[in-house]
């Protein structure tokens, strides 16, 4: 038996054992709601995903807070009841993976589960993958992403000798991961270079109305490259943590999500929720989404012209 096979079998066995304990204390085995959230094919993955997914991190959401387990579980359970099937987390999103792991195992075959690593070396990335699988109580991820890639030198490390890309390829070979992704919210040229260096299946980038006013916007540049390679595009920072809802700017999530999902090449978005009520409102917006016209898009962009610097604060995170 090879070392890789042993490692994979050990992970699957340990996760299954832990998952049995959690499953006994969580929801009974049943199905995700069939509530209608429109779906799109996620690039060349061949998988259809809802246009709205639940993000696992945020400034106010309990989803990544260690002391907010009950509130986090309530949001996750409500998401399943509302038909949400896409769940996004990361190794460094506080207790997010733990909270997801309390609820999602009973629904694993019906959902699309994504996580991330910000480690740039092979061994560090492997350790985070093992930890993510155990916390999520699953034996595989649908999507594992190179997280918050911001600088060219980080790409060099990821793709260099003993870089994190080796861990990703090994994990795919061992069927611990289905698809590979790259994420970033700092420098669009770095994400474009990453997509050119490696056949990632997806990219997770900021797509919102304030971005269009930035001197170095993530779209249409990244979207154009993604479309060339049929890469699935997942949008984040859709309301910019509520910054887009300042007085005189966007009027609500209908405009924020509508703008994002109307961009050519965007397949879905992930947004966190502060409570079940906010989640319900977001799902309603996604469920009633209609493509915005060019005139409507331009009007929304105009409403963010004076607030783009404040609203793209996340560009400084690196």
């Amino acid at each position: 038996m090879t070392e890789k096979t042993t490692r994979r079998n050990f992970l699957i066995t340990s996760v299954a054992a832990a998952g049995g304990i959690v499953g006994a204390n969580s929801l009974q085995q049943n199905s995700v709601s069939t509530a209608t959230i429109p779906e799109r094919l996620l690039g060349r993955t061949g998988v259809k995903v809802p246009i709205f997914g639940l993000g696992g991190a945020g400034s106010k959401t309990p989803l990544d807070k260690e002391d907010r387990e009950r509130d986090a579980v309530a949001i996750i359970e409500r998401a399943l009841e509302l038909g949400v099937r896409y769940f996004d987390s990361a190794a460094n999103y506080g207790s997010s993976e733990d909270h997801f792991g309390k609820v999602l195992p009973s629904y694993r075959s019906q959902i699309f589960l994504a996580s991330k690593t910000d480690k740039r070396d092979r061994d560090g990335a492997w350790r985070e993958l093992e930890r993510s699988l155990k916390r999520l109580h699953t034996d595989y991820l649908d999507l594992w992403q190179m997280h918050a890639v911001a600088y060219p030198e980080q790409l060099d490390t990821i793709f260099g000798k003993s870089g994190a890309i080796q861990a990703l390829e090994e994990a795919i070979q061992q069927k611990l991961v289905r698809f590979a992704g790259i994420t970033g919210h700092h420098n669009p040229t770095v994400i474009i270079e990453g997509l050119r260096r490696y056949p990632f299946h997806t990219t997770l980038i900021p797509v919102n109305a304030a971005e269009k006013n930035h001197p170095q916007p993530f779209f249409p540049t990244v979207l154009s490259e993604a479309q060339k390679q049929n890469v699935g595009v997942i949008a984040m920072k859709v309301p910019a943590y509520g910054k887009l809802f300042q007085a005189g700017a966007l009027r609500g999530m209908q405009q924020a999500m509508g703008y994002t999902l109307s961009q050519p090449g965007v397949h879905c978005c992930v947004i966190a929720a502060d409570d079940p009520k906010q989640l319900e409102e977001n799902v309603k917006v996604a469920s009633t989404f209609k493509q915005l016209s060019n005139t409507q898009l331009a009007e929304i962009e105009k409403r963010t012209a004076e607030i783009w610097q404040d609203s793209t604060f996340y560009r400084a995170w690196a």
Side-chain angles (χ1 to χ4, degrees):
M1 184 176 291
T2 67
E3 180 181 351
K4 288 182 180 179
T5 302
T6 301
R7 185 179 204 173
R8 179 176 184 274
N9 289 345
F10 170 75
L11 277 170
I12 292 175
T13 302
S14 60
V15 167
I21 297 172
V22 172
N25 294 318
S26 63
L27 298 177
Q28 295 298 312
Q29 189 84 17
N30 51 39
S31 299
V32 176
S33 169
T34 56
T36 305
I37 300 176
E39 295 182 337
R40 292 175 178 173
L41 198 61
L42 186 60
R44 64 175 185 280
T45 65
V47 176
K48 280 189 173 182
V49 296
I51 60 174
F52 172 83
L54 181 62
S59 58
K60 298 179 181 178
T61 177
L63 290 165
D64 62 359
K65 308 297 188 295
E66 183 178 2
D67 61 346
R68 301 285 302 280
E69 179 181 313
R70 179 177 296 180
D71 295 329
V73 166
I75 292 171
I76 298 165
E77 290 179 343
R78 186 62 180 137
L80 290 163
E81 292 170 355
L82 293 169
V84 175
R85 293 191 295 104
Y86 190 122
F87 295 88
D88 173 85
S89 190
N92 67 354
Y93 284 177
S95 296
S96 172
E97 291 181 330
D98 288 317
H99 297 330
F100 280 145
K102 294 289 183 182
V103 182
L104 298 181
S106 295
Y107 301 83
R108 185 65 188 91
S109 64
Q110 303 166 65
I111 64 171
F112 191 92
L113 184 58
S115 196
K116 316 176 189 74
T117 177
D118 63 5
K119 302 304 180 186
R120 312 307 182 196
D121 63 297
R122 173 193 177 276
D123 291 346
W126 254 118
R127 284 192 292 270
E128 286 211 329
L129 176 60
E130 291 171 349
R131 178 171 176 260
S132 292
L133 292 171
K134 290 175 182 176
R135 295 172 81 194
L136 290 163
H137 296 288
T138 184
D139 55 9
Y140 73 98
L141 293 175
D142 292 291
L143 175 63
W144 192 37
Q145 302 153 100
M146 300 290 101
H147 191 191
V149 183
Y151 301 109
E153 51 266 35
Q154 292 177 335
L155 285 176
D156 291 339
T157 302
I158 288 169
F159 294 111
K161 184 179 180 180
S162 300
I165 203 68
Q166 294 183 26
L168 194 153
E169 290 185 330
E170 291 165 6
I172 290 176
Q173 291 169 3
Q174 297 178 46
K175 301 187 185 306
L176 296 172
V177 169
R178 295 177 66 195
F179 305 115
I182 184 171
T183 88
H185 43 62
H186 180 67
N187 187 339
T189 60
V190 171
I191 300 302
I192 291 171
E193 177 61 22
L195 293 176
R196 290 173 177 170
R197 285 202 196 189
Y198 189 81
F200 288 105
H201 298 96
T202 69
T203 185
L204 172 68
I205 58 170
V207 183
N208 61 48
E211 269 291 322
K212 199 61 183 287
N213 294 293
H214 194 284
Q216 274 193 304
F218 269 86
F219 67 99
T221 55
V222 179
L223 294 184
S224 177
E225 184 64 33
Q227 285 181 301
K228 288 179 186 177
Q229 301 185 36
N230 196 16
V231 170
V233 175
I234 307 141
M236 62 172 160
K237 309 294 186 281
V238 174
Y241 293 97
K243 290 282 188 178
L244 296 188
F245 304 144
Q246 298 178 46
L250 271 58
R251 291 189 289 268
M253 191 62 82
Q254 196 86 37
Q255 286 189 326
M257 199 187 303
Y259 180 90
T260 294
L261 292 173
S262 292
Q263 298 306 314
V266 171
H267 298 100
C268 62
C269 66
V270 290
I271 305 174
D274 297 343
D275 52 51
K277 184 176 184 297
Q278 186 182 75
L279 173 68
E280 291 166 5
E281 293 169 352
N282 291 344
V283 170
K284 182 178 180 180
V285 170
S287 298
T288 58
F289 166 76
K290 286 183 173 53
Q291 181 76 23
L292 300 184
S293 68
N294 290 337
T295 300
Q296 290 172 310
L297 294 174
E299 193 271 333
I300 290 173
E301 289 167 7
K302 187 177 179 180
R303 297 179 72 89
T304 66
E306 301 299 322
I307 64 165
W308 71 264
Q309 289 177 300
D310 180 48
S311 299
T312 56
F313 60 93
Y314 51 80
R315 296 294 289 267
W317 299 349

